[in-house]
Amino acid sequence: MPIVAFGLGSNLGDKAENLRQAVIQIEGRIGRVTAHSALYASLPWGYSSENTYINACVAVETHLPVEECLRITQEIEIGLGRLTKSRDGYQDRTIDIDILCYDRLIVETNELVVPHPLLHERLFVLEPLAEILPEWVHPVLGRTTVELLKTLTEPA
Ligand code: ADP
Ligand code: MG
């Protein structure tokens, strides 16, 4: 069965509880959670806010196609009180669920880009992802998550 990895983030309300609820719903609607990272604290990325983030990643075994995973995670976001999408820049949110990777599948449509285009540039994504899928090889960059993390933290 394919493995899909989700990046979770929250910077409003009970952040750890928002992540926990998201994982429960992912487990109920998408598939079995095979790995869960630790919770990581991070600062808002790409915009300024006094509300810091909690981030985590989960790996899930699923029989659903990746487009269906996106549709369901967007429903979960709305159900957990996510009010607006990021259009004109980033905003505070109760929950953000991004699809980081789906096996070594490459998707590039208007609605969905997989692997997530900023995965290799964000420490708050790569750190938890490397914790749960250290050997996953990025299908475009040809590097493992551990290698990508090293590149980000030890610039040449
Ligand atoms: P962001 O996560 O960048 O803050 P949003 O969560 O508001 O932004 O998502 C904006 C749009 O990004 C979604 O409507 C979705 O169609 C699109 N998108 C493209 N690729 C992905 C992906 N890998 N995971 C989640 N959403 C994605
Ligand atoms: Mg998102």
Side-chain angles (χ1 to χ4, degrees), residues 70 74 82 85-86 90 93 96 98-99 111-113:
L70 178 69
Q74 289 183 337
R82 170 113 185 230
K85 276 193 180 187
S86 306
Y90 298 104
R93 65 284 294 276
D96 180 42
D98 288 338
I99 298 177
E111 292 75 39
L112 185 61
V113 180

Side-chain angles (χ1 to χ4, degrees), residues 5-11 15-16 18-20 22-23 26 33 35-42 53-59 95-100 123-132:
F6 298 104
L8 311 172
S10 172
N11 81 329
K15 303 166 200 174
N18 293 337
L19 260 52
R20 205 176 71 81
V23 173
I26 286 170
V33 173
H36 192 315
S37 76
L39 304 185
Y40 290 75
S42 72
Y53 275 83
I54 288 184
N55 295 100
C57 287
V58 289
I95 191 77
D96 180 42
I97 308 173
D98 288 338
I99 298 177
L100 303 178
L123 195 58
F124 65 84
V125 175
L126 265 186
E127 244 183 328
L129 186 63
E131 190 190 329
I132 61 168

Side-chain angles (χ1 to χ4, degrees), residues 1-71:
M1 240 191 276
I3 296 282
V4 58
F6 298 104
L8 311 172
S10 172
N11 81 329
L12 282 183
D14 187 337
K15 303 166 200 174
E17 179 61 17
N18 293 337
L19 260 52
R20 205 176 71 81
Q21 288 301 330
V23 173
I24 289 171
Q25 294 195 34
I26 286 170
E27 181 123 64
R29 299 185 60 185
I30 296 181
R32 190 172 70 89
V33 173
T34 58
H36 192 315
S37 76
L39 304 185
Y40 290 75
S42 72
L43 296 173
W45 192 98
Y47 76 110
S48 69
S49 166
E50 62 193 12
N51 302 317
T52 56
Y53 275 83
I54 288 184
N55 295 100
C57 287
V58 289
V60 175
E61 213 173 38
T62 187
H63 62 273
L64 299 176
V66 69
E67 296 79 10
E68 188 66 5
C69 294
L70 178 69
R71 195 185 63 73

